[in-house]
Amino acid sequence: MRRTLGSAVIAILIATTAIAVAVSKHRSRALLDAQQELSWERDRLKTEWAQLQLEEAALAAHGRVERVARERLDMQEPHDFVAVEEAP
């Protein structure tokens, strides 16, 4: 009787451990999948950020700003102006 009870307890412990290992492995794989997806998203966002920085640099170039000011806003450099220096 004692031997049967001990064998049953050991069998239950082995089964519990096997289930715990399976659950742990499943969680580990799910976390690895999530990490991989986040890595892909990070890489995509880095690429997009680099493209946006290039676009911003192109749009803010002095020559382009001056051309847009002249063509779209009909602006021009002043011909008559007075430069005033601030006294110290």
Side-chain angles (χ1 to χ4, degrees), residues 12-83:
I12 291 172
L13 290 175
I14 290 172
T16 304
T17 303
I19 291 170
V21 167
V23 168
S24 176
K25 218 168 196 174
H26 175 72
R27 287 182 183 167
S28 175
R29 287 180 182 155
L31 289 172
L32 189 60
D33 287 344
Q35 180 189 21
Q36 186 66 43
E37 287 180 24
L38 289 172
S39 292
W40 289 333
E41 179 71 7
R42 181 200 60 214
D43 292 344
R44 186 189 68 75
L45 289 172
K46 276 183 166 180
T47 301
E48 183 180 350
W49 175 245
Q51 290 172 346
L52 287 171
Q53 286 179 315
L54 288 172
E55 183 180 348
E56 180 185 31
L59 291 175
H62 180 71
R64 182 185 180 283
V65 171
E66 187 173 339
R67 182 176 44 80
V68 168
R70 288 179 191 276
E71 292 174 1
R72 291 189 188 169
L73 302 176
D74 204 26
M75 296 176 79
Q76 54 187 330
E77 290 184 42
H79 298 290
D80 300 323
F81 64 91
V82 176

